[in-house]
Amino acid sequence: MEKLKRALAGFAACAVTASAAGCTSSTDYCITANGEKINVGIYINFLLNEMTNQMYTMYYNGTVTDLSECFDQEIDGVDFKTYVKEAAMDDVKNLAAVEAKFDELELTLSDEDQEELDESVASAWESEEYYEYEGISEESLTRCYEYSYKYQAIFDYYYAEGGIEEVEESEIEDFLSENYIRYKLISIAKSTEEDEDTAEEEDAASLALFEGYLEEAQSLTFEEFDTIIDEYDAYQEELEAEEEEDEESDEDSSDDSSEDDSSSEEDSSSDSEEDSSSEDESEETSEGDTSSEDESEETSVASADEESSDEDSDESDTSSEDESSEDSSEDDSSSDEDSSEDSDEDSDSDDEDSEDEDEEEDEYANESMLNYSDYVDEDSDYYDEDYTAMIDEMLSADYGEATIYEDDDYYYLFVTADVLEREDYIEDNKDTLLDEMKGEDFEDLLADWVDAMDISENTKATKKYTVQKVYDRQEEYYDE
């Protein structure tokens, strides 16, 4: 398991490019694009990226328990190695096309982008030893990072503000209206009890709770639905506190039981010892009282000494308290003014902190904006029949109308609102929205650019640097 964790960590760190070091001249490039050689290290990098992503997916969804098992799997009906190899080669071709188009359009990166790029490369290159073991050069690392920045620059050239195909504000608003839903929601899980009667009782209680919230929500606006959310949060916190108390009570009860058993055993043992001791003392007393009288006299003397010592101690303590009281009085007097000043400063500081908190408070914290288009598209990888049914229910509800919905596992109480009332949303999320609107169009453009290039694969290099080899090198590095 430790080896697996280290391997996963290593894969995560290598989501950057490689450039083959120490390769022969016939395998130091993976393709030629319009006569330009593309370093084989870039191909290795994309192999690593795709392999890592697929392995992570398979491991965390439970398809495999060890990364090596991925090589026996298929992805979309294609064996693992072939899928990763083809995906990596597509990425290399896209990189070549993006670099060529960037130069053709005579674009440059902004100072801000260049600074971010340099910082990213420098940070990644701190793992120089690992990259060099895989054949990674800093030059190729930089080139791969540049790819993402150049991709975005070209995208903006077409679709961002001032672009040759600029997306107008009205188009974005239409896209929001047609594809987004704005809502607030609370949910409670249905019972998982195996006993049907118990499960029915628990579900009835949960439904009754939400029906009570529903009645209360009828008189509330979308914004005021936060009141319901706050009530439900408080209810959940109370339940958690009660569960913790019950657990602690059970633990205490268990501890008390153990202590009682232990105490009973000790008492039994003590009684036995006392009986034995009593018999011994009786025998000693019958042999002679002289020893007893001597002990009594010694005890009296010891008591007297202790009383004398206690009196001295009391006097000393009293004197010390008096002196301390005087010192304290003087200190209090001298610090009153300082304390008053500090109090005023603290008060001012608290007021400032309170103002900052109010300014930073997110008024939209309890609501969600969701692009639901992929979830209701049966051809999409994200399609889910149950989720689609719930979204349909949300879309059919009137704005501000609280509604209860249930599926096999949960009860939901939700309320929706007009997405266009979020005037801040377009401005704050414009890049994301543009990507959702024009991402596929741009990918189509990129595919056309790739097709228009004269690209030739160097099979000597791609046969040498296989998915298996990249994985084995990874393992070797972490085993050393």
Side-chain angles (χ1 to χ4, degrees):
M1 178 58 72
E2 183 63 27
K3 182 178 180 182
L4 176 63
K5 290 180 179 178
R6 288 189 284 110
L8 288 174
F11 283 137
C14 74
V16 286
T17 184
S19 176
C23 302
T24 62
S25 60
S26 63
T27 57
D28 61 0
Y29 66 97
C30 56
I31 65 170
T32 57
N34 289 350
E36 180 185 355
K37 294 179 178 180
I38 304 297
N39 292 342
V40 71
I42 294 175
Y43 173 65
I44 294 172
N45 167 67
F46 288 126
L47 285 176
L48 283 167
N49 288 345
E50 190 63 39
M51 181 178 68
T52 300
N53 291 337
Q54 297 302 332
M55 285 184 166
Y56 263 122
T57 300
M58 291 182 184
Y59 178 74
Y60 286 110
N61 68 16
T63 302
V64 299
T65 57
D66 187 273
L67 296 183
S68 62
E69 298 173 5
C70 293
F71 290 92
D72 299 324
Q73 305 298 316
E74 289 188 350
I75 304 172
D76 295 339
V78 181
D79 71 271
F80 180 78
K81 292 180 182 178
T82 301
Y83 183 92
V84 172
K85 176 185 182 301
E86 292 178 351
M89 182 53 66
D90 287 342
D91 289 336
V92 171
K93 294 176 180 179
N94 288 341
L95 177 142
V98 163
E99 289 184 337
K101 181 59 67 172
F102 187 87
D103 292 340
E104 176 189 328
L105 297 175
E106 298 182 346
L107 300 177
T108 57
L109 298 180
S110 67
D111 292 341
E112 181 181 356
D113 285 348
Q114 189 63 53
E115 183 178 352
E116 288 181 1
L117 169 62
D118 294 341
E119 290 177 354
S120 297
V121 173
S123 177
W125 195 244
E126 291 178 1
S127 300
E128 175 182 358
E129 182 180 348
Y130 166 76
Y131 294 128
E132 288 184 341
Y133 191 85
E134 282 282 7
I136 298 169
S137 73
E138 188 174 8
E139 177 187 354
S140 292
L141 180 69
T142 302
R143 190 170 175 180
C144 192
Y145 271 109
E146 283 178 341
Y147 166 53
S148 62
Y149 282 92
K150 289 179 178 180
Y151 182 104
Q152 186 63 48
I154 300 172
F155 182 91
D156 292 344
Y157 173 85
Y158 279 88
Y159 306 115
E161 184 176 352
I164 60 174
E165 297 181 22
E166 178 182 355
V167 179
E168 300 293 337
E169 188 88 2
S170 59
E171 295 180 72
I172 301 178
E173 291 178 355
D174 290 343
F175 177 80
L176 270 180
S177 296
E178 295 170 4
N179 296 276
Y180 270 73
I181 189 168
R182 179 186 177 198
Y183 64 92
K184 293 181 179 180
L185 174 148
I186 59 175
S187 63
I188 188 169
K190 289 187 175 181
S191 175
T192 57
E193 288 288 340
E194 294 182 1
D195 181 74
E196 291 185 4
D197 292 337
T198 302
E200 287 181 4
E201 290 179 4
E202 291 183 352
D203 286 344
S206 296
L207 182 57
L209 175 69
F210 270 37
E211 287 176 341
Y213 289 146
L214 175 63
E215 183 178 355
E216 181 181 351
Q218 300 306 315
S219 61
L220 301 177
T221 64
F222 178 81
E223 290 73 17
E224 292 170 340
F225 191 80
D226 289 351
T227 302
I228 303 296
I229 295 176
D230 292 340
E231 287 184 25
Y232 184 54
D233 288 343
Y235 166 77
Q236 289 182 312
E237 291 176 2
E238 185 177 343
L239 281 183
E240 291 175 1
E242 289 177 356
E243 289 175 359
E244 290 179 1
E245 289 180 2
D246 290 342
E247 290 176 1
E248 292 176 359
S249 177
D250 290 341
E251 291 176 1
D252 293 341
S253 182
S254 177
D255 292 341
D256 290 342
S257 177
S258 299
E259 291 176 3
D260 289 344
D261 292 341
S262 175
S263 176
S264 178
E265 292 176 2
E266 291 177 1
D267 290 343
S268 176
S269 174
S270 176
D271 290 342
S272 177
E273 291 175 359
E274 287 178 1
D275 291 342
S276 175
S277 175
S278 178
E279 291 176 2
D280 293 340
E281 289 176 2
S282 177
E283 291 175 1
E284 291 175 2
T285 303
S286 63
E287 289 176 358
D289 296 331
T290 305
S291 174
S292 178
E293 291 173 358
D294 292 341
E295 290 176 359
S296 179
E297 291 175 0
E298 291 174 3
T299 301
S300 298
V301 172
S303 298
D305 290 341
E306 288 173 0
E307 290 176 2
S308 175
S309 175
D310 289 342
E311 290 175 1
D312 294 340
S313 177
D314 290 342
E315 292 176 2
S316 175
D317 291 343
T318 302
S319 174
S320 176
E321 289 174 2
D322 291 341
E323 293 174 0
S324 176
S325 177
E326 292 174 2
D327 293 341
S328 175
S329 177
E330 293 176 0
D331 291 342
D332 290 344
S333 176
S334 64
S335 65
D336 280 345
E337 295 178 4
D338 294 340
S339 176
S340 177
E341 294 175 359
D342 291 342
S343 177
D344 291 340
E345 292 176 0
D346 291 342
S347 178
D348 293 339
S349 177
D350 290 341
D351 290 340
E352 292 175 1
D353 291 342
S354 177
E355 291 176 1
D356 291 340
E357 288 178 2
D358 291 339
E359 290 177 0
E360 295 175 1
E361 185 178 349
D362 184 4
E363 62 179 307
Y364 305 115
N366 288 328
E367 69 177 64
S368 298
M369 292 279 285
L370 173 71
N371 183 344
Y372 61 83
S373 56
D374 284 338
Y375 297 100
V376 300
D377 181 1
E378 294 185 10
D379 296 327
S380 170
D381 293 336
Y382 299 99
Y383 175 76
D384 181 273
E385 186 175 352
D386 291 337
Y387 201 49
T388 297
M390 179 175 173
I391 291 175
D392 288 342
E393 190 76 15
M394 286 183 166
L395 292 173
S396 63
D398 292 334
Y399 292 148
E401 177 188 358
T403 306
I404 289 180
Y405 177 80
E406 68 172 289
D407 57 24
D408 292 337
D409 301 312
Y410 286 88
Y411 291 109
Y412 303 90
L413 176 62
F414 66 82
V415 62
T416 61
D418 187 351
V419 294
L420 295 183
E421 289 181 356
R422 279 286 302 271
E423 297 177 357
D424 66 305
Y425 193 80
I426 293 178
E427 181 180 353
D428 294 345
N429 299 274
K430 194 167 186 177
D431 289 343
T432 299
L433 292 169
L434 286 178
D435 182 64
E436 291 175 349
M437 295 176 66
K438 295 297 182 179
E440 290 186 8
D441 292 344
F442 188 69
E443 286 294 317
D444 290 341
L445 277 177
L446 181 54
D448 291 340
W449 300 336
V450 170
D451 290 340
M453 297 186 77
D454 180 15
I455 296 177
S456 176
E457 179 182 338
N458 181 8
T459 56
K460 287 185 178 180
T462 55
K463 287 181 178 178
K464 179 178 181 180
Y465 297 100
T466 64
V467 180
Q468 187 68 58
K469 182 172 182 178
V470 169
Y471 176 78
D472 290 343
R473 291 285 288 174
Q474 179 85 61
E475 291 291 281
E476 290 170 9
Y477 177 81
Y478 284 105
D479 282 342
E480 291 183 354

